[in-house]
Amino acid sequence: MTDAILNFLHQVMTSPWVYVALFAVAMIDGFFPVVPSETAIITAGVFAVSGEPNVFGVAVAAMLGAFAGDHVSYLIGRTGGVRLRARLRPGTGRAKAFDWAERALAERGGLVLVVARYIPGGRTATTISMGTVGYPLRSFSFFDTLAAGSWAIYSVLIGYLGGMAFENDPFKGLLLGLGIALTITVVVEVTRYVRKRKNSGKDLKGEPEAELTRRQG
């Protein structure tokens, strides 16, 4: 399905319909995260170097699509999130993603929505969880505007800069853009893992001290 979507985008890249296609891909990815929205936006950013499609049009279509898709996901959480969570088996990847989203929401509120848009699998779990726990829609829309806008600009810029580096060879520009995006994702994930390990070490170190203090008291 991914190849079919990307092939279709290549065919309509110089057509006005490309903006509709990008909007649809970004929207569907908000609640059905197997659709390659980020790859599609980066690809459009590469081709935008030639003037078609328009780089600003690509960014706007991506932002509006992501915003709409996130709200569909939020609505799914409001209407059926409780039943969905109940069906997930503990310990599975999806169950862990929802658990992470709930903990992050309790600690940092809507700001986690902005961060989650850059975490594979995290964006949908977060938006559905926010709907499930009844996070205020007005606040959700505000933070989602920041999330969708920053993600759209980030994706388009990566593709556009890659396209400028290889203006005469869009394929190499696409590979560069995807490579940059993958590198950033890996760096973010490694940083999160290291910080999590450090925090876990601090918690484990503090437990014996707390226990000793309790006994002495």
Side-chain angles (χ1 to χ4, degrees):
M1 184 174 65
T2 296
D3 292 337
I5 293 173
L6 293 179
N7 288 334
F8 173 75
L9 286 172
H10 285 153
Q11 294 174 8
V12 301
M13 198 60 70
T14 58
S15 166
W17 286 102
V18 69
Y19 306 111
V20 177
L22 292 172
F23 172 88
V25 169
M27 180 185 70
I28 295 173
D29 189 37
F31 55 89
F32 190 58
V34 298
V35 178
S37 64
E38 189 166 304
T39 302
I41 304 307
I42 291 175
T43 302
V46 171
F47 281 88
V49 174
S50 64
E52 289 293 339
N54 180 272
V55 65
F56 297 106
V58 172
V60 171
M63 175 183 174
L64 294 178
F67 183 87
D70 288 345
H71 278 71
V72 171
S73 183
Y74 175 89
L75 181 62
I76 292 173
R78 288 294 290 264
T79 57
V82 176
R83 291 193 297 271
L84 176 62
R85 288 291 304 277
R87 295 176 182 176
L88 296 178
R89 290 181 298 175
T92 61
R94 290 187 177 183
K96 291 180 179 179
F98 277 106
D99 292 339
W100 171 84
E102 283 193 346
R103 291 195 303 269
L105 285 175
E107 294 173 2
R108 292 179 291 276
L111 287 176
V112 71
L113 180 60
V114 180
V115 178
R117 178 140 280 279
Y118 299 89
I119 300 175
R123 67 185 67 165
T124 304
T126 300
T127 50
I128 291 180
S129 293
M130 294 179 92
T132 301
V133 302
Y135 194 84
L137 178 59
R138 180 176 297 181
S139 297
F140 176 84
S141 298
F142 170 77
F143 284 105
D144 195 50
T145 299
L146 299 178
S150 63
W151 171 82
I153 294 173
Y154 153 81
S155 301
V156 172
L157 279 180
I158 286 180
Y160 193 79
L161 293 175
M164 290 182 64
F166 295 96
E167 188 171 355
N168 297 323
D169 195 338
F171 181 71
K172 289 183 179 179
L174 176 59
L175 290 179
L176 177 61
L178 294 176
I180 293 173
L182 179 61
T183 300
I184 293 175
T185 301
V186 171
V187 171
V188 170
E189 290 299 310
V190 170
T191 302
R192 289 178 58 242
Y193 175 78
V194 172
R195 291 185 61 183
K196 184 178 180 180
R197 289 291 300 271
K198 287 184 177 180
N199 291 335
S200 298
K202 290 179 180 179
D203 292 340
L204 291 175
K205 182 179 179 181
E207 288 179 2
E209 296 177 355
E211 180 65 18
L212 179 60
T213 302
R214 186 183 66 81
R215 290 180 178 179
Q216 291 177 346

